[in-house]
Amino acid sequence: MTAVLGGFRLNLTPSEPLGLWRIEETDRAVTVGDLVFVCPPQTPAFTEARRRHYLARGLCPGGVAPMIKMVAALTGQLVQIGESVSIDGTPLPSSTVRRVDGAGRPLEPYTGGTVPPGMLYMHSPYVSSYDSRYFGPIPTSDLLGLARPILTFDP
């Protein structure tokens, strides 16, 4: 479910607190640590994610809902993937890389590398989150705005 008037969105997934959020436009570039709404790009990884029901239905291209994720790395930063994630040599908290999803299906992690120009590496501290650990950096053009909680609660 999505409330679209005024940029409001209902988050019904445990990647971030459940409840009512708002997409807030910004007049600045996003920075590491910003919580944002992004539309998933139309790539094979996201087609498979939709088929596996990792993504809710919504109004983004491909018929999926915007995701709420934290910006963990910007263009030029080095992302290293092992059992967990490091950004420029610093471990990213709550970034264990799972090899299977909740249904026992294999997950293929992102290989890591330098975040290319015009891209963002996205993260969620939720252990089962589908984020850049698996799909890699996403285009800044898919950014909708900052994510602001209005009325939320932790599951």
Side-chain angles (χ1 to χ4, degrees):
M1 289 184 196
T2 303
V4 293
L5 296 174
F8 290 99
R9 299 287 185 267
L10 284 176
N11 178 42
L12 302 175
T13 65
S15 291
E16 293 297 335
L18 304 176
L20 185 62
W21 291 75
R22 183 160 193 235
I23 298 173
E24 184 177 283
E25 291 185 32
T26 181
D27 57 357
R28 63 169 175 80
V30 296
T31 61
V32 170
D34 281 345
L35 198 58
V36 298
F37 274 99
V38 294
C39 275
Q42 294 185 60
T43 64
F46 282 105
T47 299
E48 179 64 11
R50 179 69 188 116
R51 190 184 69 73
R52 289 184 176 194
H53 303 286
Y54 298 166
L55 305 171
R57 295 184 85 61
L59 299 176
C60 288
V64 298
M67 302 183 301
I68 304 172
K69 302 292 178 200
M70 181 193 73
V71 177
L74 304 170
T75 295
Q77 291 190 277
L78 178 62
V79 177
Q80 296 169 295
I81 307 284
E83 290 185 26
S84 61
V85 178
S86 291
I87 308 290
D88 291 334
T90 301
L92 182 63
S94 304
S95 66
T96 300
V97 177
R98 297 177 66 170
R99 301 299 173 188
V100 295
D101 68 10
R105 297 171 293 202
L107 286 169
E108 188 66 36
Y110 168 60
T111 58
T114 302
V115 178
M119 305 290 272
L120 300 167
Y121 183 90
M122 311 304 291
H123 180 67
S124 171
Y126 178 64
V127 69
S128 294
S129 179
Y130 186 67
D131 57 30
S132 287
R133 287 175 275 192
Y134 309 103
F135 54 74
I138 64 167
T140 56
S141 60
D142 292 330
L143 182 73
L144 298 175
L146 299 173
R148 296 290 184 227
I150 302 298
L151 181 61
T152 62
F153 63 94
D154 288 323

